[in-house]
Amino acid sequence: MELTPGADLDNWAWREWADYWSLEPGTLYFNHGAFGPSPKPVIEARQQALEELERNPMDFYVRRLDDRLDGVTSRLAQTFGCNAGDLVLVPNSTVAMNAVAHSVKLSAGDEVLLTDHDYGAVVRAWGRRCGPVGAKTVLACPPDDLRSPDQITQAIEQRLTPRTRIVVVSNVTSPTAIVFPVADICRLAKERGILVCIDGPHALMMRPVELRALGCDYYVASCHKWLSAPFGTGFLYVDRRHQQSTQPVVTSWGRRLSGGPSRWQDEFHWFGTYDPSPFLAIPAALDFLEGQVGLERFQGQTHALARYARQRLEEVAGAKALVPDDIEWYGSMITMPLPGVAMSADYPNMTHPLQRALWEEARIEIPIIEWRNRVHIRISCHLYHTPADVDRLCDVLSNLLPRFR
C-alpha cells in the first residue's frame, strides 16, 4: 500500500467522522498517540462481547473463547502481512516487550542496543532485564539535523559491537514522532546475526506494516492508538524461529482449560481470568478504518492536519520541525520544539507546567515532552480533529508561551 500525502486542507470534509467519537464537550483532545479513544462502533462491539460473556461465562471461556481469539489474530494477520500463527494477543505493547525481554537469552557482557528516541518504559524494561545477568543497554543517538534516513541507520551501526545481542528500535518514535527506517535497520542487523525487536504502537494504521516482509524477529504493538481499538489490546509478532522459546511473563493454564492441542500462543491467550471483550472488538476497529473510512482517507487526512499543525506551530514557536516536511518522515503525529521554554525540575514525575496550564486554563489535552534537554509539544491528529482545532491550540499557546520563557 502506498502512502498518500495529505495535500491541501480543502481536499477533506473535516466534520464527516467527528460524531463517531464521544469526546468530552469543551475538551480539545490532541493526545490520541498516547491514549486513543475508540469510535462508537468499537465501543458497541466491545459491549456486545461483554454481554455474551456475562450470559454464560463458563460456556464463553471454555468452549468459545479460543475460536473467537483465533478469529481476531487471523484478521490482524491479514491486515499486517503475516500468518495468524505468528501473532499473540496481549494487553499492550509493554506486556509484549517484557515478554521479549524475558525470552531473549542474555549473558554477562551482552549489549542491548536502543536509541534515545525510544519510549522511556522500553529502555527501562531492558535495563531491568540486563542488570541481574551483567548485560547492559547502549543508546544510539542520531544527529539533530536529520535529512536522510541513512543518518539514523548509521547512528545505530556505529554503536553495534560483537557483544550486541539485540537491537530494539521504534517504528514511529514516541517522544519525537519520527518514522524510522526499520526495514533498513533489520537488514543491517540480519547481516551481523543480531536480533531485532521493533516497538510499533504508533505505526499501526498510520504506516503500511508488513510484518513478514519486514524481516524483524519480534514486533510489539498496541491497538489503542491510531487503530482506535479498546484500551487493553495489543499484539506480539514473533518470527517462527523464536516462537517456542518466547514465553509470557505470567504463567497460567494455557490451553489446558479447553483441552485442545497445544500451540505457542496458548500461554499468552490464557493468563488467568480476564475480560476478553476488548480483544473481540479489534475487528470492529479494523472494519471502521479499513471499510467505512478507508486507509487512504485516514492517512491522507490525518497527515494533512499534522502538516498544517507543523506549519502553524513553527510560526507560533519560532522553530523548525525536527524532520523534513515529507510524509516519509512523519504521519498523523508531529513533535515540535518550543525554544526558550524552561525545563521542569519535576518532569517526568509530573506533567510539565505548560501542559498543566493548557489543560487547566483552556481544556486542551496535549503532551509537553522534554527530550535531549529541550521542551517540545507533540500533536496527534485523528478523524475527529479539524483545522479550526489546530488554530485554537495555536491561539492559546501563543498567549501562554511568554509566561514559560
Side-chain angles (χ1 to χ4, degrees), residues 184-220:
D184 292 340
I185 294 167
C186 286
R187 284 192 289 270
L188 171 67
K190 188 174 182 179
E191 290 171 358
R192 303 192 180 200
I194 298 171
L195 301 173
V196 177
C197 177
I198 297 177
D199 189 33
H202 288 289
L204 301 190
M205 313 315 276
M206 187 200 293
R207 316 297 298 180
V209 175
E210 294 289 332
L211 293 170
R212 290 295 295 276
L214 194 52
C216 60
D217 297 277
Y218 309 94
Y219 193 104
V220 308

Side-chain angles (χ1 to χ4, degrees), residues 73-333:
T73 56
S74 293
R75 183 66 187 279
L76 285 168
Q78 178 183 358
T79 298
F80 299 116
C82 67
N83 294 323
D86 299 332
L87 291 178
V88 289
L89 300 170
V90 293
N92 49 57
S93 57
T94 299
V95 171
M97 186 64 75
N98 276 269
V100 175
H102 284 270
S103 299
V104 171
K105 292 182 180 180
L106 294 176
S107 303
D110 285 347
E111 295 175 356
V112 176
L113 180 59
L114 306 103
T115 81
D116 67 343
H117 289 255
D118 285 318
Y119 188 51
V122 171
V123 178
R124 185 168 184 261
W126 281 98
R128 177 168 288 188
R129 171 70 175 94
C130 287
V133 299
K136 67 177 182 179
T137 57
V138 177
L139 289 184
C141 301
D144 280 338
D145 187 25
L146 288 173
R147 289 296 175 264
S148 168
D150 290 342
Q151 293 173 279
I152 298 172
T153 307
Q154 290 166 4
I156 290 173
E157 185 175 17
Q158 290 168 3
R159 299 292 277 166
L160 295 175
T161 75
R163 301 299 300 179
T164 306
R165 179 80 175 100
I166 184 170
V167 174
V168 181
V169 64
S170 300
N171 198 157
V172 179
T173 63
S174 177
T176 53
I178 297 172
V179 179
F180 267 30
V182 287
D184 292 340
I185 294 167
C186 286
R187 284 192 289 270
L188 171 67
K190 188 174 182 179
E191 290 171 358
R192 303 192 180 200
I194 298 171
L195 301 173
V196 177
C197 177
I198 297 177
D199 189 33
H202 288 289
L204 301 190
M205 313 315 276
M206 187 200 293
R207 316 297 298 180
V209 175
E210 294 289 332
L211 293 170
R212 290 295 295 276
L214 194 52
C216 60
D217 297 277
Y218 309 94
Y219 193 104
V220 308
S222 293
C223 299
H224 67 261
K225 295 182 183 287
W226 307 101
L227 178 53
S228 299
F231 297 109
T233 58
F235 68 77
L236 166 62
Y237 164 84
V238 181
D239 183 86
R240 293 178 185 178
R241 296 172 298 160
H242 313 299
Q243 290 172 2
Q244 296 308 315
S245 61
T246 303
Q247 297 291 324
V249 177
V250 176
T251 299
S252 185
W253 285 107
R255 202 176 181 87
R256 294 172 185 265
L257 196 69
S258 61
S262 178
R263 306 173 302 176
W264 79 279
Q265 296 104 318
D266 300 334
E267 296 294 340
F268 287 89
H269 284 179
W270 187 264
F271 51 90
T273 304
Y274 68 102
D275 176 8
S277 63
F279 292 121
L280 301 182
I282 290 175
L286 292 167
D287 287 342
F288 180 73
L289 283 185
E290 291 181 326
Q292 285 185 260
V293 178
L295 279 184
E296 183 176 341
R297 165 71 182 269
F298 169 73
Q299 292 169 351
Q301 179 170 321
T302 56
H303 176 70
L305 195 59
R307 187 168 188 262
Y308 178 64
R310 171 197 175 110
Q311 295 166 351
R312 289 297 325 274
L313 288 168
E314 284 183 337
E315 296 168 1
V316 170
K320 294 294 184 181
L322 301 173
V323 293
D325 189 7
D326 191 314
I327 196 170
E328 295 301 326
W329 281 102
Y330 70 102
S332 310
M333 177 173 72

